[in-house]
Amino acid sequence: MAKLGDVTALAHHLTIGQVAERSGVPHTTLRFYEDRGLISAERTTGNQRRYPRATLRRIAFIRSAQRVGLSLDDIAEALSTLPAHGAPTKADWTKLSKRWRNELDTRIDALQRLRDSLTGCIGCGCLSLRACGLFNHEDQLAEYGPGAPKLKAASEGGI
Amino acid sequence: MAKLGDVTALAHHLTIGQVAERSGVPHTTLRFYEDRGLISAERTTGNQRRYPRATLRRIAFIRSAQRVGLSLDDIAEALSTLPAHGAPTKADWTKLSKRWRNELDTRIDALQRLRDSLTGCIGCGCLSLRACGLFNHEDQLAEYGPGAPKLKAASEGGI
DNA sequence: CTCGAACTTCGACTTAACTGGAGGTCATGG
DNA sequence: CCATGACCTCCAGTTAAGTCGAAGTTCGAG
């Protein structure tokens, strides 16, 4: 039953197990995220990872962003503009945020249309989805949809 | 230069190539979607696919839903409650829509929080993200995040 | 009737995002 | 000081969502 004292050695540094437990993200995934450059950790003399508390926020951000359909690459790119440790400059933040705002706004819009069109279809009784906003730019959508393989050159300005 | 007449034979049925072009989804992907039960087509005597026009709306729906992070399985399940051809009953629609509304509302909410927290961080100057709504339920999130492997039994009530 | 574009199936390959196991190292209560 | 559990690296396997190519068939303008 040897346990790492709950009185965590060095209150500001969490072990990978602690981060895994608190964030709900498996430790294997945390190492994976590190490989992909999403998070980072300092090492003890014995080569074990020690995470700053801020990592929990970073992970929360990652999972939130992922949940709404952004790829780890997009997220990594965004996060890379922030220093791993220490406070980012206001300029960094502004730039990152501007790029994301557009993308997020677009996605929020898409979601709302999806939701409202469903609701609308019930409300108006148009059981075949005809005339519902979402479905009437049929030929316009596409452009670049989802898909594992990178169809369009990874990045080209936006996320 | 033999081209399929632009005066489409049987105005209500599109070839896979036409659907691909109009929807922007590659024909290979259309066949893949058929395998996964997302769309379907009638066949000519020569075994070629002929899609009803409504398929374009179905595809638009699929891509929209995917774009905001829903899996093809979720989408397939939702679409499966609608008949492939012909009008669904109002009851079908109501049921489908109710389930999706919750999920979509949740996602919209998450997106908005993500966006607002970014914006807020700039506005309030809290350069380290401290005190921003999104990041303060740190230990609560997780639950079930994204991930290719099916961690939690595929479906368990909601999408 | 012919010819090329468009279609068919099928199976192997790719990418993203994990997941799991083998084999070894670190840390700490007893 | 030693056992045990938490940690380490590396690498292979899995799932989702496509993508590609080979080899053969259908379609329809000329």
Side-chain angles (χ1 to χ4, degrees), chain A residues 128-139:
Chain A
S128 64
L129 284 177
R130 253 180 311 142
C132 283
L134 173 67
F135 303 95
N136 278 336
H137 44 194
E138 290 173 2
D139 292 27

Side-chain angles (χ1 to χ4, degrees), chain A residues 15 17 31 43 47-49 147 149 151:
Chain A
T15 66
R31 291 199 197 92
R43 299 294 185 121
N47 197 36
Q48 298 196 353
R49 291 173 181 80
L151 301 163

Side-chain angles (χ1 to χ4, degrees), chain A residues 8 16 19 35 40 43 52 60 62 69-70 72 78 93 109 123 125 127 143-144 147 150 156:
Chain A
T8 312
I16 194 169
V19 172
D35 284 354
S40 65
R43 299 294 185 121
I62 293 165
L70 298 171
L72 289 184
W93 258 117
D109 208 62
L127 298 175
E143 259 314 295
Y144 80 110
K150 41 177 67 178
E156 49 181 46

Side-chain angles (χ1 to χ4, degrees), chain B residues 73 147-155:
Chain B
D73 274 2
K150 40 176 70 179
L151 301 162
K152 326 285 170 178
S155 62

Side-chain angles (χ1 to χ4, degrees), chain B residues 129-141:
Chain B
L129 284 177
R130 251 182 312 142
C132 284
L134 174 67
F135 304 95
N136 279 336
H137 42 193
E138 291 172 3
D139 292 29
Q140 259 69 16
L141 73 35

Side-chain angles (χ1 to χ4, degrees), chain A:
Chain A
M1 297 294 181
K3 283 215 68 193
L4 278 183
D6 274 28
V7 180
T8 312
L10 272 167
H12 292 82
H13 291 84
L14 305 167
T15 66
I16 194 169
Q18 289 169 330
V19 172
E21 195 187 352
R22 299 184 78 93
S23 68
V25 176
H27 59 100
T28 50
T29 300
L30 293 175
R31 291 199 197 92
F32 173 71
Y33 283 172
E34 190 174 316
D35 284 354
R36 310 290 258 80
L38 290 155
I39 57 177
S40 65
E42 281 157 42
R43 299 294 185 121
T44 64
T45 49
N47 197 36
Q48 298 196 353
R49 291 173 181 80
R50 285 303 119 98
Y51 296 93
R53 234 136 230 297
T55 300
L56 290 173
R57 290 195 290 270
R58 244 178 130 86
I59 294 168
F61 181 87
I62 293 165
R63 296 301 249 194
S64 299
Q66 251 193 310
R67 183 131 198 290
V68 297
L70 298 171
S71 74
L72 289 184
D73 274 1
D74 290 342
I75 300 166
E77 204 214 314
L79 286 176
S80 75
T81 71
L82 308 180
H85 317 290
T89 73
K90 190 153 190 165
D92 287 337
W93 258 117
T94 308
K95 207 163 64 184
L96 159 58
S97 187
K98 258 194 191 120
R99 298 176 60 171
W100 275 56
R101 250 206 95 102
N102 279 337
E103 178 66 18
L104 295 179
D105 280 345
T106 305
R107 275 167 199 268
I108 289 170
D109 208 62
L111 259 169
Q112 271 165 349
R113 272 218 301 255
L114 196 59
R115 181 195 59 186
D116 293 345
S117 64
L118 272 180
T119 310
C121 285
I122 290 171
C124 72
C126 67
L127 298 175
S128 64
L129 284 177
R130 253 180 311 142
C132 283
L134 173 67
F135 303 95
N136 278 336
H137 44 194
E138 290 173 2
D139 292 27
Q140 258 70 16
L141 71 33
E143 259 314 295
Y144 80 110
K150 41 177 67 178
L151 301 163
K152 326 288 171 175
S155 63
E156 49 181 46
I159 47 174

Side-chain angles (χ1 to χ4, degrees), chain B residues 2 15-17 31 43 47-49 146-147 149 151:
Chain B
T15 66
I16 194 169
R31 290 198 199 91
R43 299 298 184 117
N47 197 37
Q48 297 197 354
R49 291 171 181 82
L151 301 162

